[in-house]
Structure formats: C-alpha cells, structure tokens
Amino acid sequence: MKAGSQKKTEGEERVSVLWAAHQSESYKISPPYSLLASCKGQRLPVQISYSLLSPFWRATAFMETLSQHLEYLGLCGDHIEAEEDQILESLNGILLALTEDKQRSFSLLKESGIFLTLAKILKGNPRCAVKAAQVLSEIAKNEEMKKPCIEADLVPTLIPLLESTDQEMLLHAGRAIGRICYDNRNLQEDLVKVGVITSLVRILTDYAESEPLVHVDLLALCNLAELDTAKEALSKTKVAEQLVKQLRRAENHERLEIVFEVLQALAENDALKVQLVEAGVQEVLSEILLRLQGSSQAEDTCIVKAASDLIVSLLLGDGNCVRMVQVGVIHQLLDLLEKHVESGDVSVQHAALSALRNLAIPVVNKVQMLEEGVADRIQALLRSEMPPVQFKLLGTLRMLTDGQADAAEILGQDPMLLNRLVQWCNANNHTGICGEANRLLASILRHNRSQEVVKAIQEAQGVKHLVSMTTSEHAATQNEALNALAIASAIDLETLEGSFKESQLVQSLHKLLQDDNTSPEVKYNSMGLLCSLLNSGDLRQEIEEDKIKETLEQLCSHSNANVVKEAVTTLQVLRGEAPH
C-alpha cells in the first residue's frame, strides 16, 4: 500500500487501534511495537513517534522494532541486492536501537546471527555497504560482540574497503577494524600480513586534512606500532613524513598525545629513527618545547615530557645527536630543567636530563655545548637536592669533559663545584651519586694538563676519594681512577705525595697486584701508576718496605703478555735501571 491511500488495510487498522489505546488512560493495552508493521509481506508507512511513549514502552518498542529489522535482514538471505531502501532502513533501525538501549540491543544482535548478513552486504551491495560498516563499527564497541564479528570473518571482509575513495566508508571501516582487532595480537599480526599498513599510510597521506579520518588512522597505527612486523612494514613507507606533518599541525593535546605515542613506538626501530630525523621531527619537537616551556598547565607538562622522551629515543648515532644540537634543542631542554628543578616536576627532569646526557656524547657536540655555556648552566642546576637530577647532571658534565682539556681545566678550577663533588663522594646513602661524583673527579684529572687543577682537587680533599675508587668492584671504574692518578702524578707528584701516603695508595696498589681476581688491565694500570710514584723518595721507600718487588717478580710469569711486559718495566724502574 502507498502512503496517501484512503482505505486502510487490516494491519494498518491494528496499529491505529493500538496507538489510540495507548493514548487513552482507560485502556491497559500494549502500545504499538514497531515502525515497520507487516501486512501480507508489505512494508507499512505508519510512523510512530517514540518520544510520546513512556520510558518502559519506548524501550520495549525499540526492541520489538529491532527484532523485526533483524528478522527482515535475515530473510534477505542471498538477495541483498534487492529492496535496498528497506535494507538501509533496517540498518538505520539497528543504529537507532543501539542508541536507545545498548545492552538489550547487543543481546538481540548476538542471538540473531546478523553478522553473516552484514558480511554479504559489505561484499555485494555497494549502496548499503557504508551503512553496514557503520553498524559494525558501533557493534564492535562492545567487547562481547567482537567474537561473533571475528567468527563471521568480518575483518577480512572489511580490509578491502580501506582502498575506497569514499571518506565515510574509510571512516566506518577503519573504526570497525580497529575496534574488532583491539588488544588482539594475532588479529593485528594478520592485518600487517595482508598489507593494512600500506592502506593506513595512504589514507594518512591522501586525507591529511580530514580530522575524523586522521584520528581513526592514528589510533590504528597506535595499536599496531608495537608490533615488530608493523615497524618493519612502516619503515618501507613514507609514514615518517606524514607523522611529522601531523605533529606540526596538531592543535589539541589529545591529537599531540596520540601522535607522540605512535612516534615513541616507531622510534624503537633504527631505520624509522633515521627517517624521522630526516623528516625534520627534531625541528618540530624544538618548536613544541619552545612554545610550551613557560606553561604551568598539567596537560602542557605531559606534552613537554613526551617531547623530551622522544628526543631521548631518537638520539641514535652521532648524526642524529648533532642535528638536535644544531637546531637548538639543547637550550630548550636546559630552559625546561631550570623551570622544573624549581617546580619539582620529576618526570620532565628525567626525560630532559637523559636527552642532555646523550646529546653530550658526540665530540662535535661537546665543543658546541661548551662554547654556548652549557657547562655553566648545568652547574647552576646542581643546586637541586633531588638525587636522580644530581646523578644525571653529573653524568652530563662527565660526558662534556671526556676528551676536552679546556672543559676539564675550567671545571677543575671551580672550588664550589669541587667541594660539592667531594661532598657527593661521601654520599654513601646514594651510591649512584657517589659513584658519578668520583667518576667526574677522575675525568677532570684524566683530561686535564694543568698543575692548578691538581692543586685545586688536592685542596678540596678529593684525592683520597680517587684512591678509594681504585678498590671499586667495577674494573672500568678502577681503571678510570688509576689513569687519573697516574696523569696527576706526572703533572705534580709533589702536591699529591702527602695525600697518597695518608690514603695508603701504595698498599692499595699492592693488594690489587696480589689479588688473582684483579683483571689484567687493572694490574697493568696499577704498575703504570707505581712507576710514577717511584719518582718520590718517600713513596719509593713505602714501595720497597711493602715488598712489592716480590709480587712484581711473580707477575713476570703472568698469563697476560701486557702484564708481564709492564711487570718487567716496573722492576727495572724500581731497581733504578733504564727501561728497555
């Protein structure tokens, strides 16, 4: 029957009677149940306003309507190309029911077996496919509905739709796939295998200005980016360029956080790290840090930390570190530290400090950082009383002095810094800080060539800590101390003589040479230091009285050739012979 006919069918009469009964308070009859009533297989035009119903009858009517929509779609069977208007109306009915009562709707949907019908619509009815994808994206919000979606092979059915040029289709298909596969590693791995990465990067490239599509795309990348297979696939695309573009144009915290999460995951892949730096991510990070450095808002602080963390992750190889310093990241990190040392934001401090330390590794960076006064700014930050901050700042200063005589001379003549270092060397309750302070003292001496520095460290009472450092349980730390003391002895043994005797350096070296567990390199460096000490009359006497000669003779038959050679040389010096 067409709308406008004056003669009513039996079904229409029934709906009219029920509707009238519902409006009358004297009747206790159930209200009309559906938008679509059936009369001899034909759709009725009667439209019922649900807003007029009481909540109970409203919900009941929706569920009855949903049942009929599902029944109709089920009856379509293989003939999904027919009655497209009715299919669309039924799909819209499902969406409406989900809006009204999700739990009861999900229950009916699960029992109906509608998923196979949706798969057929997606495959064979282009006009209705977009709406079917939308229905699926809504259904997949429910955790319990994912299993029937998977069992109906809806994911493989949806994947080809990501090649569509219809943005609405891309949006709903992307959402549906993302929700069905969320937190399902096996399905996610399957997505990568069938090439979904290429589709996602294409969408991000072709529709970079479409906020809804970009959002769905980034969420999908975020879910997949933890997979090694996904990283490998992404490294063969131009995703780095697109992500940097999105990072640059992101205007709200939510978008920035999603992009940062994707970038952080991708930065675990060496090839992608290089691609991101080549795409200029460091410039964008620098801009973000500069823009937000003065903000005290919690959301901005989270973004600043994310940017700092990403910088740490991206510091792969000297090339990347150098580029970061060249674009001015170093001073923005220091600005952040100066701000957050006072506010006590530990998370930002840790991220920025880790980045600073890594940036100080390349030789070319050390020179530039020293020229730009970075060492002075780091020293100013040492006022912090937070052990983790102190630990990383000390490590950064040590990196800056490594191989840089000028830096060692400047730091080594700063009495305030030296006194603070000596205090930290006594910080037994913070072993990390204690160790790093000792290592910085050793580094200053090792890379220095100035008598003034040796005297300054002696006056600050730092020598005894370096002597203690020779007995460390770590061979690398022992060698740093031994080399530093040997160089200092060569520069000004007279100044150090008293401290060496007081700290029983000779006796410590003898124990190292006697101990079978001492590494060959430590034994070798211990004998090198002994040779320097023999230039002092008082220390030579201690060496002779401690009967080190016998130990050196035993070392002449050591299994390590370098140890043997150094033992022979030290014996010659001890005997007053010219070394051969």
Side-chain angles (χ1 to χ4, degrees):
M1 298 293 292
K2 293 184 179 179
S5 298
Q6 293 183 354
K7 186 178 180 180
K8 292 184 179 180
T9 65
E10 180 183 348
E12 288 174 308
E13 290 285 0
R14 181 171 65 86
V15 171
S16 297
V17 170
L18 290 174
W19 178 242
H22 172 68
Q23 290 181 307
S24 171
E25 293 183 2
S26 61
Y27 283 83
K28 303 299 181 183
I29 302 175
S30 298
Y33 287 118
S34 64
L35 281 172
L36 296 175
S38 165
C39 180
K40 297 183 179 179
Q42 293 190 353
R43 187 167 63 91
L44 294 179
V46 180
Q47 300 295 318
I48 297 173
S49 176
Y50 285 121
S51 61
L52 298 176
L53 302 179
S54 62
F56 173 79
W57 292 125
R58 176 186 171 92
T60 304
F62 265 112
M63 291 306 101
E64 177 64 18
T65 300
L66 176 59
S67 297
Q68 293 191 18
H69 284 314
L70 293 173
E71 183 180 357
Y72 173 76
L73 289 172
L75 290 173
C76 286
D78 296 324
H79 305 292
I80 47 86
E81 72 282 351
E83 302 291 346
E84 290 182 342
D85 287 342
Q86 289 190 34
I87 292 174
L88 286 170
E89 188 161 354
S90 289
L91 292 172
N92 279 320
I94 294 175
L95 292 172
L96 197 61
L98 286 169
T99 303
E100 179 66 23
D101 189 333
K102 281 186 172 59
Q103 287 308 117
R104 291 176 69 184
S105 296
F106 284 139
S107 180
L108 281 174
L109 286 164
K110 195 172 183 180
E111 295 170 2
S112 70
I114 192 64
F115 303 96
L116 291 175
T117 301
L118 290 174
K120 291 175 183 177
I121 294 172
L122 289 169
K123 290 177 181 177
N125 194 321
R127 185 176 167 222
C128 301
V130 173
K131 189 61 65 177
Q134 185 181 1
V135 169
L136 270 177
S137 71
E138 292 301 313
I139 290 174
K141 286 181 178 179
N142 183 278
E143 190 66 30
E144 293 180 4
M145 301 301 287
K146 292 180 181 180
K147 185 177 180 181
C149 288
I150 295 167
E151 290 172 346
D153 283 333
L154 282 167
V155 174
T157 304
L158 286 163
I159 289 173
L161 301 178
L162 294 178
E163 296 304 312
S164 172
T165 56
D166 184 323
Q167 292 191 42
E168 194 175 359
M169 172 61 84
L170 292 173
L171 184 66
H172 297 313
R175 282 175 175 163
I177 293 171
R179 288 165 181 169
I180 294 170
C181 298
Y182 179 73
D183 206 24
N184 187 322
R185 192 178 182 88
N186 291 333
L187 276 180
Q188 290 174 346
E189 291 282 9
D190 290 341
L191 288 177
V192 176
K193 287 178 184 176
V194 298
V196 77
I197 292 296
T198 303
S199 298
L200 292 175
V201 176
R202 180 190 68 81
I203 293 168
L204 197 61
T205 305
D206 293 349
Y207 304 100
E209 306 296 322
S210 171
E211 291 302 316
L213 267 181
V214 168
H215 183 74
V216 170
D217 201 283
L218 288 173
L219 285 176
L221 287 173
C222 197
N223 290 333
L224 296 174
E226 294 295 334
L227 304 176
D228 290 337
T229 51
K231 292 188 185 80
E232 183 66 26
L234 284 165
S235 69
K236 298 173 183 176
T237 70
K238 293 186 177 181
V239 71
E241 294 179 16
Q242 299 307 319
L243 289 172
V244 171
K245 285 181 183 177
Q246 291 301 327
L247 185 63
R248 193 184 296 276
R249 69 189 297 270
E251 296 181 350
N252 59 65
H253 290 92
E254 182 185 6
R255 175 59 53 82
L256 280 169
E257 286 173 5
I258 295 173
V259 177
F260 272 125
E261 194 168 344
V262 177
L263 289 172
Q264 192 67 52
L266 299 191
E268 296 172 4
N269 179 279
D270 289 348
L272 285 166
K273 280 182 182 178
V274 174
Q275 291 172 26
L276 286 168
V277 173
E278 288 175 347
V281 71
Q282 65 276 9
E283 284 91 348
V284 185
L285 292 173
S286 178
E287 291 168 8
I288 291 171
L289 291 175
L290 189 62
R291 185 172 76 243
L292 300 180
Q293 69 183 19
S295 174
S296 58
Q297 292 184 18
E299 289 179 326
D300 288 341
T301 300
C302 289
I303 297 301
V304 165
K305 181 184 182 301
S308 302
D309 285 340
L310 185 55
I311 289 172
V312 175
S313 300
L314 290 170
L315 296 178
L316 167 71
D318 288 0
N320 288 3
C321 289
V322 170
R323 290 180 196 179
M324 291 285 188
V325 171
Q326 287 173 344
V327 299
V329 166
I330 194 80
H331 284 289
Q332 282 141 32
L333 289 172
L334 285 165
D335 289 342
L336 285 173
L337 277 173
E338 287 169 358
K339 177 179 181 295
H340 289 286
V341 160
E342 294 175 359
S343 68
D345 195 310
V346 178
S347 61
V348 174
Q349 290 170 355
H350 286 190
L353 286 165
S354 296
L356 274 176
R357 189 176 182 280
N358 290 348
L359 287 168
I361 294 173
V363 174
V364 66
N365 278 7
K366 297 180 198 293
V367 175
Q368 184 173 343
M369 290 167 74
L370 289 168
E371 288 175 351
E372 294 181 7
V374 170
D376 293 336
R377 294 188 68 181
I378 290 175
Q379 286 188 65
L381 288 167
L382 284 171
R383 68 179 181 272
S384 168
E385 295 301 324
M386 301 184 68
V389 173
Q390 295 168 340
F391 174 77
K392 289 188 178 179
L393 283 172
L394 290 171
T396 302
L397 283 176
R398 182 167 57 82
M399 288 294 173
L400 283 174
T401 60
D402 188 20
Q404 302 298 310
D406 290 344
E409 189 169 341
I410 292 169
L411 296 177
Q413 294 184 70
D414 184 333
M416 188 176 294
L417 173 64
L418 293 177
N419 288 331
R420 195 77 191 271
L421 287 177
V422 170
Q423 289 176 14
W424 281 323
C425 287
N426 289 314
N428 296 324
N429 54 330
H430 294 295
T431 55
I433 295 175
C434 178
E436 201 60 66
N438 275 300
R439 294 188 72 189
L440 179 53
L441 268 180
S443 182
I444 290 171
L445 270 181
R446 197 166 74 251
H447 295 101
N448 152 73
R449 298 293 179 267
S450 168
Q451 195 172 25
E452 283 71 25
V453 171
V454 175
K455 288 179 179 178
I457 291 177
Q458 162 66 22
E459 289 173 6
Q461 300 184 351
V463 175
K464 63 182 180 181
H465 294 293
L466 294 174
V467 173
S468 296
M469 191 176 166
T470 63
T471 62
S472 167
E473 58 185 15
H474 303 293
T477 303
Q478 289 177 296
N479 287 320
E480 288 175 12
L482 291 167
N483 288 330
L485 291 172
I487 290 170
S489 299
I491 293 172
D492 191 351
L493 180 57
E494 185 179 349
T495 295
L496 300 173
E497 190 176 45
S499 291
F500 284 167
K501 291 174 68 175
E502 185 180 339
S503 59
Q504 297 187 320
L505 174 60
V506 169
Q507 290 73 22
S508 294
L509 293 176
H510 194 185
K511 289 179 181 177
L512 289 174
L513 294 174
Q514 289 176 313
D515 191 346
D516 292 337
N517 293 320
T518 302
S519 73
E521 189 178 359
V522 170
K523 287 182 184 289
Y524 180 89
N525 288 327
S526 297
M527 289 184 281
L529 177 55
L530 275 175
C531 286
S532 294
L533 301 184
L534 285 168
N535 291 315
S536 161
D538 289 348
L539 293 173
R540 173 180 279 272
Q541 184 178 347
E542 282 194 10
I543 291 170
E544 291 173 349
E545 290 175 355
D546 212 45
K547 298 181 180 180
I548 292 180
K549 179 182 175 183
E550 296 176 7
T551 303
L552 292 171
E553 289 172 345
Q554 292 173 5
L555 289 174
C556 288
S557 58
H558 194 275
S559 59
N560 184 280
N562 289 329
V563 171
V564 172
K565 184 178 179 181
E566 192 66 16
V568 171
T569 300
T570 307
L571 278 171
Q572 289 171 340
V573 175
L574 182 59
R575 292 168 183 157
E577 302 171 2
H580 300 301

